[in-house]
Amino acid sequence: MTRTTPARPVAVEAVFPELAAYRGRTTRLHPRPGRPGCRDSHVGGPLLWPSDEPWPFCDEPWPFCDEPHQSETEGYAPQEIRAARAAGVWPRSRPWREAGGPEPDEPTPFVGLAQFFARDVPGLAAGPGGADLVQLFRCPHTHGPRLERRYLLKWRSAALTERGGRFLAVPPEPPLVRWEHELPEPCVLHPEEVDSYPWAEDDTLPPALIARIDAWDDAQIEEGGRHAPSYQGALSIPPGWRVGGFPSWASTGPMDITCECCGEPMRLLLTAGGDEMDADSHSWMPWEDRDPSLQGMDSIRRGQSVAMPTRLRFGRDRDLHVFICRADQGHPPRWVLS
């Protein structure tokens, strides 16, 4: 099934003609629970990983985060999380040591979160050497007193990898994860390109334009109440998983993201979002996930499989932005929670 974003509740360029010069495109991925294969773009499904290639483990010092895994007292077994989800119940937690959990300084397998093929996802940037398949991983544990997370990006040539023929059927996984939302739900994608506009704060747009947007937002609330459409929530950047476009800065405010190797500005590769909507952004929910006889939030159907299909969370319900260097895609990416 395709996914179709409704027209915006307000024609934003009619209200702010200057925004036409800043219009961009982003690809909404619309993950929904399903059964993707290793040759599909997906969140939470099997990765196209050669069987003779070692699976990545979190076991070496990393830049800016050389702390060991935080000690844990209890957690959830991945296979029990899957069984509980299938049964519609909450999994049972287990004491860490009794379940054979690793010591804080032991290597831990990364959890594969997603993979995207350029053939499936319009606007996906090319990787080093023209790589057209990107795979995203996360260590299931936090590191150090600031509870930092480690992520990993793996680029591949899809054609060369697929010609290898033998792929890992069952990747290594940790015996326990600290939170149920560390394990992604397998989701198929329904990519859709939509227009988007920059976050309106600080110097992301001209100051006079931001002031007009703020004044317009205030007038909307005064006239229509707290559920009136706002620029940030309903007109600029869609929620959820997406590729390209503009970063949202709801938690941190705008940040200048530069390459640690060469100092060049970085571009947004993708955004991973825990939720596909909230009270301010529900107007972005596709028509196919709505009951046409109802209005607003009440029209959205199928509950969690639509509102939080991947089951993943990033920080305290924030977006994970993955940036890559514009000058050299081989330089390390940067991970920003916002």
Side-chain angles (χ1 to χ4, degrees):
M1 178 187 293
T2 59
R3 289 297 188 278
T4 310
T5 298
R8 296 300 75 223
V10 175
V12 66
E13 289 184 22
V15 181
F16 306 105
E18 309 97 307
L19 282 173
Y22 299 92
R23 185 195 315 132
R25 295 288 275 177
T26 188
T27 300
R28 304 190 68 191
L29 298 179
H30 298 305
R32 297 293 184 269
R35 299 181 64 183
C38 69
R39 288 180 170 84
D40 298 322
S41 295
H42 59 67
V43 175
L47 300 185
L48 191 73
W49 192 270
S51 57
D52 59 353
E53 182 176 330
W55 187 261
F57 277 70
C58 185
D59 59 356
E60 297 178 357
W62 286 39
F64 315 114
C65 184
D66 57 1
E67 299 281 352
H69 299 139
Q70 277 285 324
S71 297
E72 307 286 1
T73 57
E74 61 180 358
Y76 299 90
Q79 67 273 18
E80 293 181 358
I81 293 175
R82 296 185 184 102
R85 288 177 180 175
V89 299
W90 192 259
R92 180 171 64 91
S93 64
R94 295 178 174 276
W96 199 263
R97 294 295 164 246
E98 290 182 16
E103 296 293 333
D105 57 352
E106 286 184 5
T108 298
F110 275 90
V111 174
L113 299 186
Q115 70 176 14
F116 307 122
F117 291 84
R119 66 192 181 215
D120 299 329
V121 181
L124 181 67
D132 57 353
L133 166 60
V134 64
Q135 297 169 325
L136 176 65
F137 301 82
R138 178 170 68 180
C139 175
H141 304 300
T142 55
H143 291 250
R146 292 188 294 176
L147 306 181
E148 296 188 45
R149 303 305 300 267
R150 289 182 177 176
Y151 293 90
L152 178 67
L153 208 63
K154 174 69 176 179
W155 289 98
R156 298 184 185 277
S157 162
L160 289 177
T161 306
E162 288 173 324
R163 282 202 293 268
R166 296 176 61 85
F167 306 111
L168 189 64
V170 181
E173 61 183 14
L176 292 180
V177 295
R178 179 62 185 89
W179 306 103
E180 186 269 350
H181 60 249
E182 298 297 336
L183 191 71
E185 180 74 10
C187 288
V188 297
L189 306 183
H190 307 85
E192 178 202 20
E193 287 188 282
V194 299
D195 289 334
S196 61
Y197 301 88
W199 190 260
E201 188 178 357
D202 293 347
D203 59 356
T204 58
L205 290 169
L209 178 54
I210 292 177
R212 288 179 55 215
I213 290 173
D214 289 343
W216 182 84
D217 279 351
D218 291 342
Q220 290 290 107
I221 294 173
E222 184 175 348
E223 180 179 341
R226 59 186 297 266
H227 295 299
S230 67
Y231 175 80
Q232 309 285 42
L235 307 181
S236 59
I237 301 171
W241 287 72
R242 55 194 184 271
V243 163
F246 302 104
S248 54
W249 298 113
S251 299
T252 63
M255 302 169 64
D256 290 326
I257 309 299
T258 57
C259 178
E260 298 288 350
C261 292
C262 66
E264 288 293 313
M266 304 186 84
R267 66 180 293 186
L268 180 63
L269 173 67
L270 64 92
T271 297
D275 296 321
E276 291 291 297
M277 66 165 193
D278 57 25
D280 292 330
S281 62
H282 68 85
S283 70
W284 293 96
M285 189 57 65
W287 287 119
E288 292 82 359
D289 297 312
R290 292 182 178 273
D291 181 339
S293 68
L294 300 175
Q295 298 293 321
M297 287 278 287
D298 293 337
S299 70
I300 297 168
R301 302 180 293 184
R302 290 189 285 276
Q304 183 165 341
S305 66
V306 164
M308 192 182 172
T310 69
R311 302 291 189 106
L312 293 169
R313 291 199 180 279
F314 301 91
R316 294 186 176 180
D317 296 331
R318 293 188 284 178
D319 286 342
L320 172 70
H321 298 309
V322 183
F323 291 88
I324 57 174
C325 181
R326 293 180 182 271
D328 187 337
Q329 298 95 324
H331 288 170
R334 291 191 63 179
W335 319 88
V336 179
L337 282 171
S338 173

